Amino acid sequence: MDKNSLSIIDSFAQNLNAISGFQTTSQPLEGTEALPKKNIVFKANKDIVPEGYELSIQPDAVIIQASDRSGIFYAIQTLKQLLPTAIYGDQPTSDAQWTLPCMEIKDAPRFGYRGLHIDVARHFFPKEEMKKILDLMALHKQNTLHWHLTDDQGWRIEIKKYPRLTEIGSIRNKTMIRKEWDNYDTTPYGGFYTQEDIKEVVKYAEERCINIIPEVDLPGHMMAALAAYPDLGCTGGPYEVSGQWGVRDDVLCPGKEKTFTFIEDVLTEVMELFPSEYIHVGGDEVDMSQWERCPDCRALMKREGMTDPHRLEDLFMERMAAILRSHGKRPAVWNEAVRTGAFARECRVHGWESVKACLDATAKGYRTVVMPGQYFYFDMRQSPREDGHDWAAIFDARKVYGFGFTEFSPEQMRNVEGLQGAFFSE
């Protein structure tokens, strides 16, 4: 076990001492030597599965066993949950009862993917807010942040080769009030992350055993990009960063080769910032009506022998996959991108539309993150009496916890990567 892994325990011991006034120390246990009193002891155990841990709380010591850094980290999270809430602060306290019940815990995740989706395109969360979200994810042992960085309503990541993406695409001139389609405020709204901000947040996440998967949603949901670079669309514009919620019919033009040059340039800079194996490239809610009218798209379909514009989306997404593949990355996509079953099986599908969409993706052999909106879109309202969205469903925690994969066959379950909650910010 490397020093960075062991430093997790040492850091916790120092924090506990600063808040409680204790003199707890931490140390690794190499063999069968006697346990030191009032210590937090770590023992490497290669037989424990990745991210799993064993926690033994004894009268004179706390013993943590794990096979990797994540296991240590999650053991510490459990230990903190057993202590007074003051442990989550940084100020000394004298009125807390600093005791732990003696117990034995053996814990390991059911799924390797435990995610949270955060949309910063409609509502921008500054980097300090993102760090708070990461802290809460760590507390609940979630290990993946799906960061929705671009959409019709805003472009939130600096791309140095295309500065207008943030100069123009990060600001909308108005925002629809609630879902009143003809009612807007008159306040420009925006914000974006510099590449240094991104690096800072990625590092913060890594320290908490969280992998960040960035999303650049393609080829739909691109009004912010089209407002900055209108020649990438089928009509040439004019376009504006959308002040409405919902889906726009303006999308990227696959009939122009410059579109793919732009995408490769953007994704190259994104890939340099995120160590994640997967880059999410969208593929959802693509309005293909303009492709059917666009001379460039129609010419491309004719050259490829296509009559169905859905096959044009397949071609588009395959080119995305090829770009990522050339950089040693893999695509993640929304479930619409695999409806025809023609997209590469190396991709990972995020099944959002319904349980049926997840069943379909897993049956076709795609590795799938299960996140149907009817269960896991946490921006939905939780009762009929409160304001808010209910287009996916009205549901509460009982429905979320009650999701049990009852419709999935054993073969389909083998293609389930894990679960993901989602917060969209319309």
Side-chain angles (χ1 to χ4, degrees), residues 8-27 36-42 57-64 76 79 83 87 98-100:
I8 295 173
I9 300 176
D10 190 50
S11 176
F12 169 72
Q14 291 178 26
N15 182 49
L16 176 62
N17 292 341
I19 295 171
S20 67
F22 288 175
Q23 297 299 315
T24 304
T25 59
S26 65
Q27 70 178 67
K37 293 183 181 295
K38 295 186 179 179
N39 260 17
I40 302 173
V41 180
F42 170 73
I57 301 175
Q58 302 182 8
D60 292 319
V62 173
I63 307 168
I64 295 170
I76 293 295
L79 200 55
L83 287 166
I87 192 64
W98 295 99
T99 60
L100 285 167

Side-chain angles (χ1 to χ4, degrees), residues 157 159 195 198 202 212 214 216 263-281 320-331:
I157 179 172
I159 302 297
Q195 293 197 0
I198 295 288
V202 168
I212 298 182
V216 177
I263 292 169
E264 181 159 17
D265 290 340
V266 168
L267 290 179
T268 296
E269 291 196 33
V270 170
M271 287 184 282
E272 289 171 352
L273 294 169
F274 293 92
S276 170
E277 178 184 6
Y278 286 90
I279 305 295
H280 204 296
V281 288
M320 298 304 96
I323 291 169
L324 297 175
R325 194 181 301 120
S326 69
H327 291 266
K329 302 285 190 178
R330 294 185 180 188

